[in-house]
């Protein structure tokens, strides 16, 4: 028997090995194994069983061990690995490393302990007899008699002051059994959900929910691949629909994967899941980034063995080795956080859809603001759409007030952080002891120019994205096509001087709030605070407990949080997301507005939203204001169609980095000529252009964009071309397929 193995040893190549007699019964496709490569032992993954080697079989070495009792990759995961390798232009080894947790790869052994229990009931008479012959043995029996379940040997011996000889004697007598058990280290009870396990009875579904659960249920019953897009307004009870779908799968003996954009940001969802399923006797594995090695291995083993059949986690949970996968839920499917920004640069949602396809399972995507990619798939009939149009209990969506900051500046005679309207509302809500969230859309990036008199932002005439301001040579450049012009000294639209407006930071907002509400208790939450995750949980806990009146933070706190006492949400600077040089800027702004508004008025009192902007007339704001997704999507898709942007074509981003900008430019231009010659008919190329942030850590960055109808065909061709192109050693480059951000 010969197997083909992809080693995890720093190179992509299938190597062949003989399988020793003793391992033959246990070897599977997807098994993690140990193999010798030049006198050293390495890990590898069995890709083929009964393979045909390219050399005489007697010359082959034998593999030395199988690492786990269960294959690391199920058949659908193996298929998925091959697809990711080709589609994302990622090395097979890097794909396997992303799919198999490090703890599993390291082959860390489950920590095991010996447990003791009585073989049968021991009578009092028996004990009395034993006590005379061997008092220590009697002592142990007496103790075990009082226990309901096996107890840890080490603990008992320590507590009773006995030695192992005593247990050995009892085992010999046939009174006590000793068994080895894995120690559970699943971090269920830790405090990252704030200790919260929501354990209420499931609510009675309303009519809309009932219809959606039935539709998804029908697909689940068919046991065939299908994708549902659950488009439900914020607070419409989408989570309840997911839970019912998972329940159906569990009842039928199948497994489900439940993906959330970031576990630490969705503690309530996780708590609800665990509450629901664990009270029904289903262990729920939580897959998050701060698990210890042992915990991760335990969770993985529970899933691979079929002991646990539900897993909830961020994007990498899509690779959980569950048995009989029937359902993958992707909550907040529009979230860019599903895209991994290092190799392999995969999109968790797209991988979920593909895995469901391979497994013949149902993929349930949900959002209040579906991505235009998914929306287009509904239009073309690939996905079924299911709607929840009303909030649960007919609670109203909050009213959205839009403040024109151009007028506000004139009124207040100077640059202002908080408009009068927002301040008025803050006073009112604060006096009523209701809570307030202020969002600031701070991104690491803010190099577009906006006139603060008229709100104008210069767009590239060819690409419909904002131009980027380059201070070094005083130019505005389009980083998609390279179109450039001198940076204007006055606003091209209204001739106002000084158009270098760059938005405001969290700190400024905090100071402004202190001035208007000095008595309010407030906390700031941004990436700096986020680096300490426990601090983040603490703040959320305090906010929930009413110890904080005003929470100031970036959009990261906008996801899925449910605070019933929040009645006012302010979006301090809506323009910051609208004018980033990205064709998805409008979509992001619309999503942000709707999601942020969704945080207000979830309790019994109606909520309100105040949006401050210099461009109140823009589509993103106007459609969000009326919660009109269809209107927004129609207009936005028309623009995408006009420029042939995703979802009408795929986009591939090619990043080229190096210390010598001349050299990168030379090679990039040379490379583009080659691509044009060979793939010019199927690919439209833009660039090379300098990246919007040209220099990062002493490295210069150039970029090329490829637009194409089918990435599946083009990516392998690009990879082939690259293999034959002599990139210099000090230039590094990478392909990013379907990038979610252009900056
Ligand atoms: P979404 O995910 O769409 O924002 P959720 O699923 O979080 O909405 O639901 C919002 C709130 O309504 C939650 O507190 C949830 O428990 C509750 N809920 C959901 N469905 C029902 C229902 N049918 N009846 C009563 N309450 C419900
Ligand atoms: Zn352009």
């Amino acid at each position: 028997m010969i197997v083909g193995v992809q080693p995890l040893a720093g190179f992509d190549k299938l190597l062949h090995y003989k399988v020793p007699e003793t391992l033959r019964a246990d070897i599977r496709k997807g098994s993690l194994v140990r193999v010798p490569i030049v006198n050293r032992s390495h890990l590898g993954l069995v890709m083929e069983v009964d393979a045909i080697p390219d050399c005489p079989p007697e010359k082959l070495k034998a593999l030395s061990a199988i690492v786990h009792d269960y294959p690391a990759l199920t058949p659908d995961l193996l298929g998925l690995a091959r697809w990711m390798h080709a589609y994302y232009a990622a090395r097979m080894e890097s794909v396997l490393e992303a799919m198999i947790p490090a703890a599993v790869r390291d082959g860390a052994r489950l920590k095991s302990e010996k447990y003791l229990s009585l073989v049968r009931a021991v009578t009092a008479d028996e004990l009395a007899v034993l006590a005379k012959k061997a008092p220590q043995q009697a002592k142990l029996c007496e103790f075990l008699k009082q226990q309901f379940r096996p107890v840890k040997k080490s603990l008992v011996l320590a507590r009773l002051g006995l030695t192992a000889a005593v247990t050995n004697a009892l085992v010999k007598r046939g009174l006590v059994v000793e068994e080895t058990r894995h120690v559970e280290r699943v971090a269920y009870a830790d405090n990252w959900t704030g200790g919260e396990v929501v354990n209420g009875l499931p609510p009675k579904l309303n009519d809309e929910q009932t219809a959606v659960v039935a539709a998804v249920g029908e697909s689940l019953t068919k046991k065939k691949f299908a994708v549902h897009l659950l488009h439900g307004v914020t607070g419409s009870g989408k989570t309840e629909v997911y839970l019912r779908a998972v329940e159906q799968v569990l009842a039928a003996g199948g497994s489900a994967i439940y993906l959330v954009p970031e576990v630490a940001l969705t503690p309530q969802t996780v708590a609800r899941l665990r509450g629901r399923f664990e009270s029904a006797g289903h262990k729920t594995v939580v897959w998050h980034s701060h698990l210890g090695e042992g915990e991760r291995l335990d969770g993985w083993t529970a899933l691979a063995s079929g002991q646990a059949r539900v897993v909830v986690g961020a994007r990498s949970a899509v690779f959980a080795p569950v048995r009989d996968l029937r359902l993958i839920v992707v909550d907040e499917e529009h979230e860019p956080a599903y895209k991994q920004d290092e190799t392999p640069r995969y999109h968790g949602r797209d991988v979920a859809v593909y895995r469901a396809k391979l497994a013949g399972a149902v993929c349930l995507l949900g959002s209040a603001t579906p991505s235009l990619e998914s929306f287009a798939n509904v239009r073309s009939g690939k996905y079924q759409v299911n709607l929840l149009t009303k909030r649960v209990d007919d609670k109203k969506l909050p009213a959205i007030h839009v403040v024109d900051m151009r007028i506000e500046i004139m009124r207040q005679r100077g640059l202002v952080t908080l408009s009068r309207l927002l301040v008025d509302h803050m006073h009112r809500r604060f006096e009523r002891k209701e809570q307030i969230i202020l969002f600031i859309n701070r991104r690491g990036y803010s190099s577009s120019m906006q006139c603060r008199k008229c709100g104008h932002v210069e767009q590239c005439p060819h690409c419909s994205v904002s131009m980027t301001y380059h201070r070094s040579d005083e130019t505005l450049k389009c980083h998609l096509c390279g179109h450039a012009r001198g940076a204007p000294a006055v606003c091209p639209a209204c001739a106002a001087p000084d158009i270098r407006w760059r938005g405001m930071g969290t700190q400024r907002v905090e100071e402004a709030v202190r001035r208007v509400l000095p008595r309010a208790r407030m906390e700031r939450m941004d990436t700096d605070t986020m680096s300490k995750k426990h601090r983040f949980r603490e703040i959320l806990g305090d906010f929930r407990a009413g110890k904080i009146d005003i929470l100031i933070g970036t959009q990261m706190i906008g996801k899925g949080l449910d605070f019933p006492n929040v009645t006012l949400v302010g979006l301090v600077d809506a323009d910051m997301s609208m004018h980033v040089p990205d064709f998805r800027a409008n979509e992001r702004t619309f999503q942000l507005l709707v999601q942020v508004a969704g945080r207000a008025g979830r309790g019994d009192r109606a909520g309100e939203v105040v949006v401050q902007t210099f461009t109140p007339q823009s589509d993103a704001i106007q459609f969000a204001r009326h919660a009109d997704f269809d209107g927004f999507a129609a207009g936005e898709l028309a623009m995408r169609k006009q420029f042939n942007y995703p979802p009408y074509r795929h986009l591939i981003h090619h990043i080229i980095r190096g210390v010598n900008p001349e050299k990168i430019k030379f090679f990039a231009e040379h490379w583009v000529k080659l691509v044009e010659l060979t793939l010019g008919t199927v690919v439209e190329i833009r660039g090379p252009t300098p990246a919007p942030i040209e220099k990062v850590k002493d490295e210069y960055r150039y970029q090329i964009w490829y637009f194409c109808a089918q990435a599946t065909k083009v990516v392998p061709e690009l990879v082939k071309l690259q293999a034959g192109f002599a990139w210099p050693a000090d230039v590094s480059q990478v392909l990013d397929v379907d990038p979610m951000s252009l900056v």
Side-chain angles (χ1 to χ4, degrees), residues 448-458 498-503 573 575-576 578-579 613-615:
S448 48
M449 274 187 169
Q450 181 171 32
C451 172
R452 59 175 136 137
K453 179 129 188 277
C454 75
H456 176 82
V457 175
E458 196 76 343
D498 188 16
I499 70 163
R500 261 160 241 167
W501 164 245
R502 284 156 151 269
D573 188 355
D575 297 293
M576 285 284 277
M578 205 144 42
H579 305 305
T613 174
F614 287 88
T615 46

Side-chain angles (χ1 to χ4, degrees), residues 210-272:
T210 308
V212 177
V213 168
V216 175
E218 201 183 310
S219 291
L220 286 171
T221 312
K222 281 187 193 146
K223 292 199 166 190
K224 271 205 281 203
F225 169 60
V227 185
H228 286 258
L229 175 66
L230 173 54
H231 179 188
V233 299
T234 54
S236 60
K238 294 185 288 296
T239 311
E240 192 55 42
V241 172
Y242 306 146
L243 294 181
R244 300 294 171 110
V246 176
E247 266 168 13
Q248 183 180 339
V249 165
L250 291 175
S255 296
I257 298 174
Y258 191 121
L259 301 180
V260 291
E262 158 74 277
V263 177
L265 295 177
T266 36
Q268 287 172 301
T269 308
V270 176
R272 270 168 81 183

